[in-house]
Amino acid sequence: MVELTQDERENFNSAIHCYIYEKPFAPDDTRVRDHCHLTGRYRGPAHANCNLNYKDSYTIPIVFHNLSGYDAHFIIKELANNFKGNVDVLPITKEKYISFTKHVNDADGKKMAKPRAIAVHRFL
């Protein structure tokens, strides 16, 4: 975790509620400094339980306008052949799709317990 600035330390020490679920801190609550595990940046004060139960989203939505009007199989083929992980499709025909989802591994190639997914949907 990146070292806190003076403002962040003051914010943490004077906080009256958990920034994750907006619940107030009780005098006997354990407060922790929640931070992003990718960047190391401080996000805010949190209850220990809220922090442990907080989950980052592993889905990146990407929207194509009128996806079914294009030959999306070229996109699917490139995703399937050039990046590890499965591709799930919702097809109309062999070459036209309503949506598709690309499951990817983490950056160092290890299989994640919950794979990241890039969900692609048709925008109406």
Side-chain angles (χ1 to χ4, degrees):
M1 181 173 145
V2 175
E3 189 169 336
L4 273 58
T5 66
Q6 182 64 30
D7 288 340
E8 290 170 333
R9 278 194 295 272
E10 289 173 12
N11 171 277
F12 178 79
N13 292 329
S14 65
I16 58 173
H17 68 277
C18 171
Y19 97 99
I20 296 173
Y21 296 112
E22 302 292 324
K23 296 178 187 176
F25 287 119
D28 60 337
D29 284 340
T30 302
R31 266 194 273 179
V32 296
R33 295 171 177 94
D34 182 51
H35 65 283
C36 174
H37 288 248
L38 296 175
T39 64
R41 291 188 190 150
Y42 172 71
R43 292 189 283 212
H47 291 99
N49 285 340
C50 294
N51 186 42
L52 290 173
N53 292 321
Y54 181 74
K55 303 275 191 256
D56 284 328
S57 174
Y58 291 107
T59 301
I60 303 169
I62 301 171
V63 179
F64 285 81
H65 176 71
N66 196 21
L67 178 65
S68 62
Y70 296 96
D71 289 338
H73 72 284
F74 293 115
I75 299 168
I76 306 295
K77 186 176 176 182
E78 288 298 316
L79 285 172
N81 292 335
N82 294 317
F83 302 97
K84 292 181 182 177
N86 296 334
V87 177
D88 300 325
V89 298
L90 181 57
I92 294 174
T93 68
K94 187 176 177 183
E95 295 181 351
K96 295 185 185 249
Y97 305 101
I98 292 174
S99 71
F100 60 90
T101 302
K102 172 65 179 176
H103 300 276
V104 297
N105 296 333
D106 64 349
D108 56 5
K110 293 182 291 195
K111 187 72 174 168
M112 297 172 52
K114 179 179 179 184
R116 291 188 171 111
I118 302 171
V120 182
H121 305 281
R122 183 178 77 178
F123 183 75
L124 300 174

